Short mmCIF file of all heavy atoms in Angstrom, two decimals:
data_model
loop_
_atom_site.label_atom_id
_atom_site.label_comp_id
_atom_site.label_asym_id
_atom_site.label_seq_id
_atom_site.Cartn_x
_atom_site.Cartn_y
_atom_site.Cartn_z
N GLU H 49 104.06 86.45 124.84
CA GLU H 49 103.35 86.67 126.10
C GLU H 49 102.13 87.55 125.84
O GLU H 49 102.24 88.63 125.26
CB GLU H 49 104.26 87.36 127.12
CG GLU H 49 103.57 87.59 128.46
CD GLU H 49 104.46 88.29 129.46
OE1 GLU H 49 105.64 88.55 129.13
OE2 GLU H 49 103.97 88.60 130.56
N LEU H 50 100.98 87.07 126.27
CA LEU H 50 99.74 87.82 126.10
C LEU H 50 99.76 89.03 127.03
O LEU H 50 100.02 88.91 128.23
CB LEU H 50 98.53 86.94 126.41
CG LEU H 50 97.14 87.57 126.23
CD1 LEU H 50 96.92 87.98 124.78
CD2 LEU H 50 96.06 86.59 126.68
N LYS H 51 99.49 90.21 126.46
CA LYS H 51 99.55 91.44 127.23
C LYS H 51 98.19 92.11 127.41
O LYS H 51 97.94 92.77 128.42
CB LYS H 51 100.50 92.44 126.56
CG LYS H 51 101.96 92.01 126.58
CD LYS H 51 102.53 92.04 127.99
CE LYS H 51 104.03 91.82 128.00
NZ LYS H 51 104.58 91.90 129.38
N MET H 52 97.31 91.97 126.42
CA MET H 52 96.02 92.66 126.49
C MET H 52 95.02 91.98 125.56
O MET H 52 95.39 91.43 124.53
CB MET H 52 96.16 94.13 126.10
CG MET H 52 94.89 94.95 126.33
SD MET H 52 95.09 96.66 125.79
CE MET H 52 95.13 96.46 124.01
N VAL H 53 93.75 92.03 125.95
CA VAL H 53 92.67 91.48 125.14
C VAL H 53 91.55 92.52 125.08
O VAL H 53 91.20 93.13 126.09
CB VAL H 53 92.11 90.17 125.74
CG1 VAL H 53 90.95 89.64 124.89
CG2 VAL H 53 93.20 89.12 125.86
N GLN H 54 91.01 92.74 123.87
CA GLN H 54 89.84 93.58 123.69
C GLN H 54 88.74 92.73 123.05
O GLN H 54 88.99 92.08 122.03
CB GLN H 54 90.15 94.78 122.80
CG GLN H 54 91.25 95.68 123.36
CD GLN H 54 91.44 96.95 122.55
OE1 GLN H 54 90.67 97.89 122.66
NE2 GLN H 54 92.48 96.97 121.72
N VAL H 55 87.57 92.72 123.66
CA VAL H 55 86.45 91.93 123.16
C VAL H 55 85.29 92.87 122.83
O VAL H 55 84.80 93.60 123.70
CB VAL H 55 85.98 90.87 124.18
CG1 VAL H 55 84.85 90.03 123.59
CG2 VAL H 55 87.15 89.97 124.60
N VAL H 56 84.88 92.85 121.58
CA VAL H 56 83.75 93.65 121.10
C VAL H 56 82.64 92.67 120.76
O VAL H 56 82.81 91.79 119.92
CB VAL H 56 84.14 94.45 119.84
CG1 VAL H 56 82.98 95.33 119.38
CG2 VAL H 56 85.40 95.28 120.09
N PHE H 57 81.50 92.79 121.43
CA PHE H 57 80.46 91.76 121.28
C PHE H 57 79.08 92.37 121.06
O PHE H 57 78.78 93.47 121.54
CB PHE H 57 80.43 90.82 122.49
CG PHE H 57 80.21 91.52 123.81
CD1 PHE H 57 78.93 91.70 124.32
CD2 PHE H 57 81.28 92.00 124.55
CE1 PHE H 57 78.72 92.33 125.54
CE2 PHE H 57 81.09 92.65 125.76
CZ PHE H 57 79.80 92.81 126.25
N ARG H 58 78.26 91.62 120.33
CA ARG H 58 76.86 92.00 120.16
C ARG H 58 76.06 91.40 121.31
O ARG H 58 76.42 90.36 121.86
CB ARG H 58 76.33 91.47 118.82
CG ARG H 58 74.93 92.01 118.48
CD ARG H 58 74.32 91.37 117.25
NE ARG H 58 72.97 91.91 117.04
CZ ARG H 58 72.06 91.37 116.25
NH1 ARG H 58 72.34 90.25 115.58
NH2 ARG H 58 70.86 91.92 116.12
N HIS H 59 74.98 92.07 121.66
CA HIS H 59 74.09 91.58 122.71
C HIS H 59 73.48 90.23 122.34
O HIS H 59 73.54 89.79 121.18
CB HIS H 59 72.95 92.59 122.94
CG HIS H 59 72.22 92.91 121.67
ND1 HIS H 59 71.29 92.08 121.09
CD2 HIS H 59 72.30 93.98 120.84
CE1 HIS H 59 70.83 92.61 119.99
NE2 HIS H 59 71.43 93.78 119.80
N GLY H 60 72.85 89.57 123.32
CA GLY H 60 72.21 88.28 123.09
C GLY H 60 70.86 88.43 122.40
O GLY H 60 70.40 89.53 122.09
N ALA H 61 70.22 87.29 122.17
CA ALA H 61 68.94 87.25 121.46
C ALA H 61 67.90 88.12 122.18
O ALA H 61 67.83 88.16 123.40
CB ALA H 61 68.45 85.81 121.35
N ARG H 62 67.07 88.77 121.39
CA ARG H 62 66.08 89.72 121.89
C ARG H 62 64.80 89.62 121.09
O ARG H 62 64.73 88.93 120.06
CB ARG H 62 66.63 91.14 121.80
CG ARG H 62 67.11 91.51 120.40
CD ARG H 62 67.10 92.99 120.15
NE ARG H 62 67.73 93.40 118.91
CZ ARG H 62 67.20 93.27 117.69
NH1 ARG H 62 66.03 92.67 117.55
NH2 ARG H 62 67.84 93.70 116.62
N SER H 63 63.80 90.35 121.53
CA SER H 63 62.58 90.50 120.75
C SER H 63 62.85 91.43 119.58
O SER H 63 63.82 92.21 119.60
CB SER H 63 61.46 91.07 121.63
OG SER H 63 61.87 92.30 122.21
N PRO H 64 62.03 91.38 118.52
CA PRO H 64 62.26 92.25 117.35
C PRO H 64 62.05 93.72 117.69
O PRO H 64 61.35 94.07 118.64
CB PRO H 64 61.24 91.75 116.33
CG PRO H 64 60.18 91.07 117.13
CD PRO H 64 60.87 90.49 118.32
N LEU H 65 62.68 94.58 116.89
CA LEU H 65 62.57 96.02 117.10
C LEU H 65 61.28 96.59 116.51
O LEU H 65 60.77 97.59 116.99
CB LEU H 65 63.77 96.74 116.49
CG LEU H 65 65.14 96.32 117.03
CD1 LEU H 65 66.24 97.12 116.33
CD2 LEU H 65 65.22 96.52 118.53
N LYS H 66 60.79 95.93 115.45
CA LYS H 66 59.57 96.39 114.80
C LYS H 66 58.80 95.16 114.34
O LYS H 66 59.32 94.36 113.56
CB LYS H 66 59.90 97.28 113.60
CG LYS H 66 58.69 97.76 112.82
CD LYS H 66 59.11 98.60 111.62
CE LYS H 66 57.90 99.04 110.80
NZ LYS H 66 58.29 99.84 109.61
N PRO H 67 57.56 94.94 114.83
CA PRO H 67 56.82 93.74 114.44
C PRO H 67 56.37 93.79 112.99
O PRO H 67 56.25 94.87 112.39
CB PRO H 67 55.62 93.76 115.39
CG PRO H 67 55.40 95.22 115.69
CD PRO H 67 56.79 95.82 115.72
N LEU H 68 56.15 92.62 112.43
CA LEU H 68 55.58 92.54 111.08
C LEU H 68 54.13 93.00 111.12
O LEU H 68 53.47 92.91 112.16
CB LEU H 68 55.70 91.13 110.55
CG LEU H 68 57.15 90.65 110.33
CD1 LEU H 68 57.19 89.18 109.93
CD2 LEU H 68 57.86 91.50 109.29
N PRO H 69 53.57 93.48 110.01
CA PRO H 69 52.29 94.19 110.04
C PRO H 69 51.05 93.36 110.37
O PRO H 69 50.12 93.86 110.99
CB PRO H 69 52.19 94.79 108.64
CG PRO H 69 53.09 93.95 107.79
CD PRO H 69 54.20 93.53 108.67
N GLN H 70 51.00 92.07 109.97
CA GLN H 70 49.77 91.29 110.18
C GLN H 70 49.71 90.76 111.61
O GLN H 70 50.42 89.83 111.97
CB GLN H 70 49.70 90.10 109.21
CG GLN H 70 49.72 90.50 107.76
CD GLN H 70 51.13 90.51 107.21
OE1 GLN H 70 52.07 90.80 107.93
NE2 GLN H 70 51.28 90.19 105.95
N GLU H 71 48.85 91.36 112.41
CA GLU H 71 48.79 90.99 113.83
C GLU H 71 48.41 89.54 114.02
O GLU H 71 48.90 88.87 114.92
CB GLU H 71 47.79 91.90 114.55
CG GLU H 71 47.74 91.65 116.06
CD GLU H 71 46.83 92.63 116.77
OE1 GLU H 71 46.32 93.56 116.12
OE2 GLU H 71 46.64 92.46 117.99
N GLU H 72 47.53 89.02 113.15
CA GLU H 72 47.07 87.64 113.31
C GLU H 72 48.19 86.65 113.05
O GLU H 72 48.11 85.49 113.48
CB GLU H 72 45.89 87.35 112.38
CG GLU H 72 46.22 87.34 110.88
CD GLU H 72 46.26 88.74 110.29
OE1 GLU H 72 46.08 89.71 111.05
OE2 GLU H 72 46.47 88.85 109.06
N GLN H 73 49.25 87.05 112.36
CA GLN H 73 50.36 86.15 112.07
C GLN H 73 51.61 86.45 112.90
O GLN H 73 52.63 85.80 112.74
CB GLN H 73 50.71 86.22 110.57
CG GLN H 73 49.62 85.65 109.67
CD GLN H 73 50.04 85.66 108.20
OE1 GLN H 73 50.45 86.69 107.68
NE2 GLN H 73 49.92 84.53 107.55
N GLN H 74 51.51 87.41 113.80
CA GLN H 74 52.65 87.71 114.66
C GLN H 74 52.81 86.64 115.72
O GLN H 74 51.83 86.10 116.24
CB GLN H 74 52.46 89.08 115.34
CG GLN H 74 52.49 90.26 114.38
CD GLN H 74 52.14 91.56 115.08
OE1 GLN H 74 51.98 91.60 116.30
NE2 GLN H 74 52.00 92.63 114.31
N VAL H 75 54.06 86.33 116.06
CA VAL H 75 54.30 85.36 117.13
C VAL H 75 54.05 86.03 118.47
O VAL H 75 54.03 87.26 118.58
CB VAL H 75 55.74 84.81 117.08
CG1 VAL H 75 56.01 84.13 115.76
CG2 VAL H 75 56.75 85.92 117.33
N GLU H 76 53.87 85.23 119.50
CA GLU H 76 53.62 85.76 120.82
C GLU H 76 54.91 85.86 121.61
O GLU H 76 55.58 84.86 121.86
CB GLU H 76 52.62 84.87 121.57
CG GLU H 76 52.25 85.40 122.95
CD GLU H 76 51.12 84.61 123.59
OE1 GLU H 76 50.27 84.09 122.85
OE2 GLU H 76 51.11 84.51 124.83
N TRP H 77 55.24 87.08 121.99
CA TRP H 77 56.44 87.32 122.79
C TRP H 77 56.02 87.40 124.25
O TRP H 77 55.82 88.48 124.80
CB TRP H 77 57.16 88.59 122.31
CG TRP H 77 57.75 88.40 120.95
CD1 TRP H 77 57.21 88.75 119.75
CD2 TRP H 77 59.00 87.77 120.66
NE1 TRP H 77 58.03 88.38 118.72
CE2 TRP H 77 59.15 87.77 119.26
CE3 TRP H 77 60.00 87.20 121.45
CZ2 TRP H 77 60.27 87.23 118.62
CZ3 TRP H 77 61.11 86.66 120.82
CH2 TRP H 77 61.24 86.68 119.42
N ASN H 78 55.93 86.21 124.86
CA ASN H 78 55.43 86.10 126.22
C ASN H 78 56.45 86.64 127.22
O ASN H 78 57.66 86.39 127.09
CB ASN H 78 55.11 84.64 126.52
CG ASN H 78 54.26 84.47 127.76
OD1 ASN H 78 54.69 84.74 128.87
ND2 ASN H 78 53.02 84.03 127.57
N VAL H 79 55.98 87.32 128.23
CA VAL H 79 56.87 87.92 129.22
C VAL H 79 57.65 86.87 130.02
O VAL H 79 58.64 87.20 130.69
CB VAL H 79 56.08 88.84 130.19
CG1 VAL H 79 55.56 90.07 129.45
CG2 VAL H 79 54.95 88.08 130.86
N ARG H 80 57.24 85.61 129.94
CA ARG H 80 58.02 84.55 130.60
C ARG H 80 59.42 84.43 130.00
O ARG H 80 60.33 83.90 130.63
CB ARG H 80 57.29 83.20 130.52
CG ARG H 80 56.05 83.12 131.38
CD ARG H 80 55.56 81.69 131.52
NE ARG H 80 55.18 81.12 130.22
CZ ARG H 80 53.97 81.22 129.69
NH1 ARG H 80 53.00 81.85 130.34
NH2 ARG H 80 53.70 80.67 128.51
N LEU H 81 59.57 84.90 128.76
CA LEU H 81 60.90 84.89 128.14
C LEU H 81 61.88 85.84 128.83
O LEU H 81 63.08 85.80 128.56
CB LEU H 81 60.79 85.27 126.66
CG LEU H 81 60.21 84.21 125.72
CD1 LEU H 81 59.93 84.81 124.34
CD2 LEU H 81 61.17 83.04 125.60
N LEU H 82 61.37 86.69 129.73
CA LEU H 82 62.22 87.65 130.42
C LEU H 82 62.75 87.12 131.74
O LEU H 82 63.51 87.82 132.43
CB LEU H 82 61.44 88.95 130.67
CG LEU H 82 60.89 89.67 129.43
CD1 LEU H 82 60.08 90.89 129.84
CD2 LEU H 82 62.03 90.07 128.50
N GLU H 83 62.37 85.90 132.12
CA GLU H 83 62.84 85.34 133.39
C GLU H 83 64.37 85.24 133.39
O GLU H 83 64.98 84.79 132.41
CB GLU H 83 62.22 83.96 133.60
CG GLU H 83 60.70 83.99 133.78
CD GLU H 83 60.09 82.61 133.80
OE1 GLU H 83 60.86 81.62 133.61
OE2 GLU H 83 58.87 82.49 133.98
N VAL H 84 64.98 85.66 134.47
CA VAL H 84 66.43 85.69 134.58
C VAL H 84 66.96 84.39 135.16
O VAL H 84 66.63 84.05 136.30
CB VAL H 84 66.89 86.88 135.46
CG1 VAL H 84 68.41 86.88 135.62
CG2 VAL H 84 66.40 88.19 134.87
N PRO H 85 67.78 83.63 134.41
CA PRO H 85 68.38 82.40 134.96
C PRO H 85 69.27 82.76 136.16
O PRO H 85 70.06 83.71 136.09
CB PRO H 85 69.22 81.86 133.79
CG PRO H 85 68.60 82.47 132.56
CD PRO H 85 68.12 83.82 132.99
N PRO H 86 69.15 82.03 137.26
CA PRO H 86 69.92 82.36 138.47
C PRO H 86 71.43 82.44 138.23
O PRO H 86 72.11 83.27 138.84
CB PRO H 86 69.56 81.22 139.43
CG PRO H 86 68.24 80.73 138.97
CD PRO H 86 68.25 80.88 137.48
N GLN H 87 71.95 81.59 137.34
CA GLN H 87 73.39 81.58 137.10
C GLN H 87 73.90 82.89 136.50
O GLN H 87 75.09 83.19 136.58
CB GLN H 87 73.77 80.42 136.16
CG GLN H 87 73.54 79.04 136.75
CD GLN H 87 72.16 78.51 136.41
OE1 GLN H 87 71.19 79.29 136.29
NE2 GLN H 87 72.04 77.20 136.24
N THR H 88 73.00 83.64 135.87
CA THR H 88 73.42 84.88 135.19
C THR H 88 73.31 86.10 136.09
O THR H 88 73.61 87.21 135.65
CB THR H 88 72.59 85.12 133.92
OG1 THR H 88 71.23 85.44 134.28
CG2 THR H 88 72.60 83.89 133.02
N GLN H 89 72.87 85.90 137.34
CA GLN H 89 72.74 87.04 138.26
C GLN H 89 74.13 87.62 138.55
O GLN H 89 75.08 86.88 138.80
CB GLN H 89 72.09 86.59 139.56
CG GLN H 89 70.63 86.18 139.42
CD GLN H 89 69.69 87.37 139.35
OE1 GLN H 89 70.14 88.52 139.23
NE2 GLN H 89 68.40 87.12 139.39
N PHE H 90 74.21 88.95 138.52
CA PHE H 90 75.50 89.61 138.73
C PHE H 90 75.23 91.07 139.03
O PHE H 90 74.62 91.76 138.21
CB PHE H 90 76.38 89.46 137.48
CG PHE H 90 77.85 89.63 137.71
CD1 PHE H 90 78.63 88.56 138.09
CD2 PHE H 90 78.45 90.86 137.54
CE1 PHE H 90 79.99 88.69 138.30
CE2 PHE H 90 79.82 91.02 137.73
CZ PHE H 90 80.59 89.92 138.11
N ASP H 91 75.64 91.54 140.18
CA ASP H 91 75.38 92.93 140.55
C ASP H 91 76.28 93.88 139.75
O ASP H 91 77.47 93.62 139.59
CB ASP H 91 75.63 93.15 142.04
CG ASP H 91 74.60 92.44 142.91
OD1 ASP H 91 73.48 92.21 142.42
OD2 ASP H 91 74.92 92.12 144.07
N TYR H 92 75.69 94.96 139.28
CA TYR H 92 76.49 95.97 138.58
C TYR H 92 75.87 97.34 138.75
O TYR H 92 74.67 97.47 139.05
CB TYR H 92 76.63 95.62 137.09
CG TYR H 92 75.34 95.71 136.28
CD1 TYR H 92 74.99 96.88 135.61
CD2 TYR H 92 74.50 94.61 136.15
CE1 TYR H 92 73.84 96.96 134.85
CE2 TYR H 92 73.34 94.67 135.39
CZ TYR H 92 73.01 95.85 134.75
OH TYR H 92 71.86 95.93 134.00
N THR H 93 76.70 98.33 138.55
CA THR H 93 76.27 99.73 138.58
C THR H 93 76.66 100.38 137.26
O THR H 93 77.74 100.12 136.73
CB THR H 93 76.94 100.49 139.74
OG1 THR H 93 76.53 99.91 140.98
CG2 THR H 93 76.57 101.97 139.73
#
Side-chain angles (χ1 to χ4, degrees):
E49 181 181 357
L50 182 62
K51 293 292 188 178
M52 187 182 71
V53 179
Q54 300 187 78
V55 182
V56 183
F57 58 91
R58 189 187 178 196
H59 54 77
R62 54 156 171 75
S63 56
L65 301 180
K66 178 182 177 181
L68 295 174
Q70 301 92 328
E71 185 175 355
E72 68 279 3
Q73 292 183 308
Q74 293 174 6
V75 300
E76 183 172 329
W77 292 96
N78 195 293
V79 292
R80 289 194 298 271
L81 286 170
L82 301 177
E83 295 172 357
V84 178
Q87 295 91 328
T88 69
Q89 293 281 9
F90 201 87
D91 291 335
Y92 68 93
T93 297

